[in-house]
């Protein structure tokens, strides 16, 4: 799980370090940076854009998700290797039924993005420690930056993306 966090952090640093093109074509990293930092997001409420403490709230929320004791994965069909990344476990049935109806294919796994799958306790703590110290500067940036909601989401998405990579590697 730590290797996956290192990969995600490395990619995020590369994206955030991307410079705007002086002339010619923009790099993929620069385009992703623009989308991450400047596009409208609907994952947080409109009030979050005025909340100077939203970065610290995301640190707290993500920490709670990391240490939660609920399971956020459900195997649906053993013969299928497809995975649906959805919102909540409570909406799993509706989402899976819709996708299976539209595609005619069975879904193998459902992974709730807003809840974390179970991971061993020692692994969680070390992961959290590294993620927390990487994310802390983003929380402080949220106090002064106008695009604080986008920056706050980097805190959550770094942890979520690393966990998704870990889970997918484990399930192959």
């Amino acid at each position: 799980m730590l290797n996956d966090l290192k990969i995600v952090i490395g990619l995020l640093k590369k994206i955030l370090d991307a410079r705007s093109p002086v002339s010619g074509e923009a790099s993929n990293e620069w385009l992703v940076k623009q989308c991450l930092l400047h596009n409208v997001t609907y994952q947080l409420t409109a009030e979050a854009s005025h909340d100077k403490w939203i970065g610290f709230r995301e640190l707290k929320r993500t920490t709670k998700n990391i240490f939660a004791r609920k399971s956020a994965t459900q195997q649906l069909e053993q013969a299928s290797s497809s995975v649906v990344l959805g919102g909540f476990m409570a909406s799993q049935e509706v989402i899976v039924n819709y996708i299976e109806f539209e595609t005619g294919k069975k879904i193998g796994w459902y992974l709730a993005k807003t809840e974390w799958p179970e991971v061993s306790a020692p692994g969680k703590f070390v992961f959290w420690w590294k993620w927390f110290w990487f994310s802390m500067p983003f929380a402080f940036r949220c106090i002064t930056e106008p695009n604080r909601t986008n920056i706050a989401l980097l805190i959550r998405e770094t942890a979520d993306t690393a966990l998704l990579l870990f889970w997918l590697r484990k399930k192959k």
Side-chain angles (χ1 to χ4, degrees):
M1 193 155 79
L2 288 176
N3 287 336
D4 299 307
L5 182 61
K6 285 180 188 176
I7 290 168
V8 172
I9 288 173
L11 289 172
L12 184 58
K13 284 181 179 179
K14 185 176 179 182
I15 289 166
L16 295 177
D17 289 342
R19 302 285 174 228
S20 67
V22 177
S23 63
E25 215 171 292
S27 69
N28 288 338
E29 289 83 7
W30 184 80
L31 293 172
V32 170
K33 177 182 177 179
Q34 296 309 302
C35 292
L36 282 175
L37 296 180
H38 302 292
N39 283 5
V40 175
T41 178
Y42 298 101
Q43 292 186 49
L44 293 172
T45 63
E47 293 81 32
S49 64
H50 304 292
D51 181 2
K52 292 181 185 284
W53 305 108
I54 190 64
F56 292 99
R57 291 184 212 291
E58 280 303 309
L59 275 173
K60 182 181 174 184
R61 265 186 223 127
T62 304
T63 296
K64 281 174 61 177
N65 279 346
I66 290 171
F67 290 106
R69 296 203 179 269
K70 56 190 169 201
S71 179
T73 60
Q74 184 173 358
Q75 186 170 14
L76 305 168
E77 183 74 36
Q78 262 188 323
S80 177
S81 63
S82 61
V83 177
V84 170
L85 181 62
F88 294 92
M89 283 303 288
S91 58
Q92 172 251 328
E93 187 176 345
V94 173
I95 293 169
V96 169
N97 287 342
Y98 175 76
I99 292 171
E100 288 180 345
F101 176 77
E102 289 295 321
T103 63
K105 296 179 181 175
K106 291 289 186 187
I107 303 299
W109 285 89
Y110 181 85
L111 175 63
K113 187 172 188 270
T114 54
E115 302 158 25
W116 274 49
E118 289 186 35
V119 179
S120 69
K124 278 185 184 183
F125 182 76
V126 175
F127 175 90
W128 173 81
W129 184 257
K130 289 187 179 282
W131 163 82
F132 181 82
W133 290 110
F134 171 76
S135 299
M136 187 61 76
F138 294 113
F140 281 107
R141 280 182 61 191
C142 290
I143 295 171
T144 59
E145 298 276 339
N147 58 339
R148 61 180 52 97
T149 52
N150 297 70
I151 294 169
L153 283 175
L154 292 177
I155 294 168
R156 181 193 315 172
E157 295 300 327
T158 301
D160 287 351
T161 304
L163 177 75
L164 178 62
L165 278 175
F166 169 76
W167 188 84
L168 289 172
R169 284 183 210 275
K170 196 168 116 177
K171 296 299 177 189
K172 286 193 179 182

